[in-house]
Amino acid sequence: MSPEPTGPEPRPVLPRSTTILLTLAGATIAAFGLSAARGVFTPVFLAFVLTLCVHPLRHWMQAHGIRRGVATGSTIVAVFALLAGLTAILITAVAQFSALLPQYADQLGQLGASIAALLEKIGFGTEQVQTVLQGFSPSRIVSFVAGLLGNITAVVGILVVILTTLILMAIDGSRVPALLTHLEYRRPSIVSAFNDFATGVRRYMVATTILGAAQGLINWLVLLILQVPGALLWGLLSFICSFIPNIGYFIAIVPPLFFGFLTGGWPTAVAVIVFYGVFNSIIQSIIQPKFVGNAVALSETLTFVSVLFWALVLGPVGAILAVPLTLLARTILLDSDPSMAWWRPFTGDRTELKELLEQEDHEIRARRRRGNQNPEPDGSPKP
């Protein structure tokens, strides 16, 4: 059963090709602008997501008659606790990694020499081989990881921006329900879109945090059993990488695989791949979609591309915030405009496609039954 046509398509004001080119140009300018302002935009958006996650606490307290000021202060404390936990995890991870790596300087040197010898056999030049050897020094690796996180001055500046924004957003958040009620009479579609965005982001972040913690705990225990050095550190890494859809698992498995190979050889490396693959596949492919449900409603391809895009625009934190950022873009561009709602299924929302998908599945099963009931003369099923 096909959906009924809504009527003749309205004639566009501009040619479709012109509209597409203007849209791409505007998106490119916006991406470059966000990239240039990443030092401000990224911490502000992170503070916004954290404030959204703890907003139900304020709502619950006010619903039970607690004063607005006390509810606001409790929200600020809760968000500060989340931020302090994230900061402590990053500091602990960097400190443990910096202390662990020099202990395996000899193994790293031997591994680098083996790779250099292999490159020489293939035909690489002496300078290229020396560059590879220098890359296996512990100081170089620690410097690379520290460079990804930024220097101390940059981190302190980001924390100041986040803390200030959190306080101001928590204070302004006490007036959001009244603001939405006021706006609902004039722009109900916008209010509905942003309510759905807030609900979706909360469900995604809470579910990902809980499942990521379970994932990190399981990985830590597995690495302890396999006697891989730095098991707690790699468990923390897998927790952080659980916020990166699709490719977070591949990032998290590299360090334990590397250190497992240094200490136990190929058997330990294969065991890490098998156990990581089984546990993480179950959590990310079966459990997480069941918990998150249709709150995110982003297709797998769009989710993967969004991780690459936001990482390019905003850096590593952009990959972690890729899903909330994409949901915000869809809310602003599609959900808040009723005339653009027909685009939503293209982003992965299957609500309007549910009946069509069920009909297709029913037709496939019917064709399969007919094929089994009408075999060929030689006894084989009819193709």
Side-chain angles (χ1 to χ4, degrees), residues 305-322:
V305 173
S306 69
V307 171
L308 301 180
F309 174 78
W310 292 113
L312 177 65
V313 174
L314 301 177
V317 181
I320 297 176
L321 297 174

Side-chain angles (χ1 to χ4, degrees), residues 89 208 211-220 223 231-244 248-249 251-253 255-256 276 280 284:
I89 289 175
T208 304
L211 295 175
Q215 191 173 344
L217 178 62
I218 293 174
N219 291 335
W220 171 52
L223 295 177
L232 179 60
L233 173 61
W234 314 134
L236 292 174
L237 178 64
S238 65
F239 167 70
I240 295 174
C241 290
S242 65
F243 290 91
I244 306 177
Y249 160 73
I251 298 174
I253 197 176
Y276 257 61
N280 292 275
Q284 293 187 356

Side-chain angles (χ1 to χ4, degrees), residues 172-187:
D172 291 337
S174 63
R175 296 187 291 270
V176 168
L179 177 63
L180 293 178
T181 302
H182 169 75
L183 187 61
E184 190 170 9
Y185 292 102
R186 295 166 174 80
R187 295 291 186 271

Side-chain angles (χ1 to χ4, degrees), residues 4-217:
E4 295 293 333
T6 58
E9 184 178 356
R11 183 178 180 85
V13 178
L14 296 174
R16 194 175 302 277
S17 59
T18 303
T19 303
I20 294 174
L21 290 175
L22 289 175
T23 302
L24 292 176
T28 303
I29 294 173
F32 273 101
L34 289 176
S35 181
R38 69 168 68 179
V40 174
F41 177 80
T42 303
V44 168
F45 187 78
L46 176 59
F48 174 61
V49 171
L50 294 175
T51 305
L52 275 181
C53 291
V54 300
H55 181 73
L57 174 63
R58 178 209 303 277
H59 179 74
W60 180 86
M61 295 181 72
Q62 291 184 350
H64 285 75
I66 298 176
R67 295 176 57 183
R68 187 189 301 268
V70 177
T72 300
S74 301
T75 304
I76 295 174
V77 171
V79 179
F80 277 19
L82 288 176
L83 184 61
L86 294 175
T87 305
I89 289 175
L90 289 177
I91 293 175
T92 302
V94 174
Q96 288 191 358
F97 183 74
S98 302
L100 177 66
L101 200 57
Q103 300 176 17
Y104 295 88
D106 295 337
Q107 292 90 329
L108 286 172
Q110 294 174 4
L111 180 60
S114 301
I115 295 177
L118 179 62
L119 292 178
E120 287 181 348
K121 290 181 180 179
I122 296 175
F124 283 86
T126 305
E127 294 183 358
Q128 295 170 322
V129 172
Q130 290 298 322
T131 302
V132 172
L133 281 174
Q134 293 173 0
F136 278 86
S137 65
S139 59
R140 285 288 187 92
I141 298 176
V142 172
S143 299
F144 172 75
V145 174
L148 290 177
L149 298 175
N151 55 43
I152 299 298
T153 304
V155 171
V156 172
I158 290 174
L159 288 176
V160 170
V161 173
I162 292 177
L163 292 175
T164 305
T165 308
L166 285 175
I167 296 174
L168 298 178
M169 284 186 176
I171 295 173
D172 291 337
S174 63
R175 296 187 291 270
V176 168
L179 177 63
L180 293 178
T181 302
H182 169 75
L183 187 61
E184 190 170 9
Y185 292 102
R186 295 166 174 80
R187 295 291 186 271
S189 58
I190 295 178
V191 174
S192 175
F194 277 95
N195 281 331
D196 292 342
F197 164 75
T199 302
V201 169
R202 275 195 294 268
R203 288 187 59 184
Y204 170 77
M205 295 299 293
V206 171
T208 304
T209 300
I210 295 174
L211 295 175
Q215 191 173 344
L217 178 62

